[in-house]
């Protein structure tokens, strides 16, 4: 289901973007991966998520090459800073490195990849400096659990946080207990990573063997991967960022814009893959 997601800054994006972890690392896949990202952009997936960590810059480099033919203003580029680089000593060089690899002059969003040991107020102050310098439009965080978010929002300019990028998929729904409500109350969209279960073969197996999942996928004539994506994209306030390494996979993912699950189907999926009853620590990958 296609939805527009609005950030507190006023920027808006579609609820489906492109993840890029592990892209750019295998030279033999280079052309296919560039083609995958370009196919996504041409089909409307202008939000691209990368990080300095991914292949130690190789993902950013690949994205940089893929986006060359396009108007920068029509893209929504997100990268992430390592926690150990997220203080005044390193963040400005780290951001410059990211911009250089991407071949652009600014990021639409810069995220702290996970909570680290640099005082969070220092990171927020640096993000605000980068905004003033025009190197980033906005900033957010990733892998922040409830207490991390509460701490962040108590800081000077903490309310300028635009998103929390967290692990979320149909078979891992811990954020639905407390964290998601907290983000919603504070008007902060969720960016769901691993929306099609990433590299967790056991969980994938469980989903693939579920008769409920098979029946609903068959009804819509879609694959189980597409059903997983439809589930995440139908949540409110949520942007899914699957990684796809081929144009074919990207196109299948884009087709999910046209899928709408009924209330009854969502209830059946709730029964088959319920959210936990009590709060559990945030899962990370
Ligand atoms: N903030 C964080 O800490 C964090 C952590 C993990 C991930 N992320 C971000 O979130 C993105 C997504 O997470 P992820 O890459 O771990 O997992 P994911 O998107 O859930 O799964 C990626 C896997 O799904 C496959 N796939 C994609 N489309 C498909 C299709 N239509 N049919 C069949 N298979 C398909 C991909 O294979 P192919 O490559 O063969 O297409 C790849 O093996 C990452 O790329 C990254 O940008 C962020």
């Amino acid at each position: 289901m296609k939805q527009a997601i609005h950030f507190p800054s006023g920027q808006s994006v579609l609820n489906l973007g492109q993840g890029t972890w592990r892209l750019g690392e295998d030279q033999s896949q280079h052309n296919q991966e560039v083609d995958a990202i370009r196919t996504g952009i041409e089909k409307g997936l202008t939000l691209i998520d990368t990080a300095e960590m991914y292949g130690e810059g190789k993902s950013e480099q690949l994205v940089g090459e893929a986006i060359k033919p396009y108007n920068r203003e029509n893209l929504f580029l997100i990268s992430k800073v390592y926690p150990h680089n997220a203080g005044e000593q390193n963040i400005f060089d780290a951001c410059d490195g990211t911009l250089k690899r991407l071949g652009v002059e600014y990021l639409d969003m810069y995220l702290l990849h996970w909570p680290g040991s640099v005082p969070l107020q220092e990171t927020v102050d640096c993000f605000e400096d980068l905004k003033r310098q025009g190197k980033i439009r906005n900033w957010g965080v990733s892998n922040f659990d409830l207490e991390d978010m509460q701490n962040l929002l108590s800081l000077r300019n903490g309310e300028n946080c635009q998103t929390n990028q967290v692990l979320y998929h149909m078979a891992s729904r811990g954020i639905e207990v407390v964290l998601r409500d907290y983000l919603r109350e504070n008007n902060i969209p969720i960016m769901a990573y691993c929306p099609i279960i990433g590299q967790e073969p056991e969980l994938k197996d469980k989903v693939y063997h579920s008769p409920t999942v098979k029946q609903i996928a068959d009804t819509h004539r879609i694959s189980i991967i597409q059903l997983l994506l439809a589930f995440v994209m139908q949540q409110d306030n949520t942007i899914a960022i699957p990684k796809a390494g081929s144009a074919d996979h990207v196109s299948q993912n884009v087709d999910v814009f046209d899928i709408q699950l009924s209330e009854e189907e969502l209830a059946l999926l709730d029964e088959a893959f319920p959210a936990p009853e009590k709060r559990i620590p945030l899962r990370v990958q």
Side-chain angles (χ1 to χ4, degrees), residues 2-3 12-18 36-48 70 74-76 250 254 257:
K2 194 182 255 188
Q3 304 193 62
S12 22
V13 294
L14 289 178
N15 57 338
L16 180 64
Q18 304 193 67
I37 296 172
R38 288 183 180 166
T39 301
I41 293 171
E42 277 158 30
K43 289 177 180 279
L45 305 191
T46 50
L47 182 154
I48 303 175
Y70 303 98
N74 295 335
L75 303 172
F76 195 95
V250 171
V254 171
F257 276 139

Side-chain angles (χ1 to χ4, degrees), residues 20-21 49 54 142-143 165 194 196 198 241 243 245 249 253:
T20 65
W21 190 16
D49 176 79
Y54 299 166
S142 178
N143 297 305
Q165 185 178 116
C194 297
I196 46 183
I241 49 165
K243 171 258 182 184
H249 280 174
N253 297 347

Side-chain angles (χ1 to χ4, degrees), residues 18-23 32-33 48-51 53-54 80 111-114 142-143 165-167 169 192-199 204 208 223 225-226 229 241-246 248-253 284-285:
Q18 304 193 67
T20 65
W21 190 16
R22 299 196 180 85
L23 291 185
Q32 181 180 309
E33 292 176 352
I48 303 175
D49 176 79
T50 183
M53 186 194 98
Y54 299 166
K80 310 184 203 78
L111 309 184
L112 172 60
H113 208 148
W114 62 88
S142 178
N143 297 305
Q165 185 178 116
V166 290
L167 186 150
H169 56 70
Y193 75 70
C194 297
I196 46 183
I197 323 199
Q199 316 297 323
K204 262 192 188 156
Y208 273 81
S223 70
I225 294 278
Q226 288 174 309
L229 204 48
I241 49 165
K243 171 258 182 184
S246 66
D248 198 29
H249 280 174
V250 171
S251 301
Q252 289 167 25
N253 297 347
V284 295
Q285 195 173 70

